[in-house]
Amino acid sequence: MNFPFYIAKRYVRSKSSQNAVNVINFITFLVTVIGSAALFVVLSGFAGLKTFSLSFSNTFDPDLKALPASGKFFSITPNQEEQLAQIEDLAFYSKELEEKVYLKHREKGHIAFIKGIDTNYTHVMGMDSMLLYGTWRINSQEAVAGIGITNILGLTINQYQNPLVVLALKP
């Protein structure tokens, strides 16, 4: 038997005249164990919440994003697009333009970001699986609004008599 373990076992089980000290030590031990366990549970919960909350933004953020060094946008030549298409491990790529705009619908207004996208966007982002209402169409007359904007402005599907008005500043 291990000698330090033998001594510890002997003093834990021994009767002593300092009974109040033993009770206080035992209560301190329990408080330390319960506090450590509670801290472990709370930190584990927060780690899970971090992963859970990041799963929502991962659907909107691409794995790799190319941004301009200065200014709002940059151009890609047709030759550069051919070179991108020839990369073996690149499944799809999409071009997008994002701008801050003012949205107005029936007496309600809100400042938001609007994205101009190309036809490959659905392949890159998988937006079809995230739609709650309506369908995903890409044309110049229709828009897809997020659930937050929909709730703030009171948007409905196919609202042709009261369309969403988008106001943007000139560049």
Side-chain angles (χ1 to χ4, degrees):
M1 181 184 272
N2 197 1
F3 184 70
F5 181 70
Y6 171 74
I7 297 225
K9 187 170 106 175
R10 182 176 173 195
Y11 280 104
V12 166
R13 291 189 178 175
S14 69
K15 299 283 184 182
S16 70
S17 60
Q18 299 176 348
N19 201 10
V21 173
N22 289 343
V23 170
I24 292 172
N25 284 340
F26 183 71
I27 291 172
T28 305
F29 170 74
L30 282 180
V31 167
T32 304
V33 168
I34 292 171
S36 298
L39 186 61
F40 178 75
V41 168
V42 167
L43 290 177
S44 297
F46 278 129
L49 285 176
K50 177 184 174 188
T51 306
F52 179 69
S53 63
L54 284 178
S55 70
F56 289 113
S57 66
N58 286 343
T59 56
F60 296 107
D61 291 334
D63 296 330
L64 182 64
K65 187 184 265 189
L67 298 171
S70 64
K72 288 187 179 182
F73 58 91
F74 61 92
S75 304
I76 297 178
T77 64
N79 186 26
Q80 290 172 330
E81 285 192 44
E82 289 176 15
Q83 290 175 349
L84 278 174
Q86 292 175 358
I87 297 175
E88 290 181 20
D89 295 332
L90 183 65
F92 295 103
Y93 71 92
S94 176
K95 297 177 275 188
E96 69 178 44
L97 184 62
E98 186 174 292
E99 186 65 40
K100 192 180 256 190
V101 295
Y102 180 74
L103 303 174
K104 185 177 170 186
H105 179 69
R106 294 184 176 166
E107 305 302 319
K108 295 180 183 176
H110 186 68
I111 296 174
F113 284 96
I114 191 169
K115 284 186 180 185
I117 57 172
D118 65 356
T119 55
N120 283 340
Y121 192 76
T122 56
H123 299 295
V124 174
M125 301 307 285
M127 300 298 282
D128 292 337
S129 63
M130 293 188 307
L131 287 177
L132 295 177
Y133 309 109
T135 58
W136 182 272
R137 291 188 209 143
I138 300 176
N139 62 35
S140 62
Q141 298 298 315
E142 295 185 24
V144 177
I147 193 72
I149 300 292
T150 302
N151 289 337
I152 291 170
L153 297 178
L155 297 173
T156 57
I157 299 172
N158 300 330
Q159 189 63 240
Y160 295 109
Q161 292 186 355
N162 295 313
L164 174 68
V165 177
V166 180
L167 302 171
L169 295 175
K170 287 186 179 181

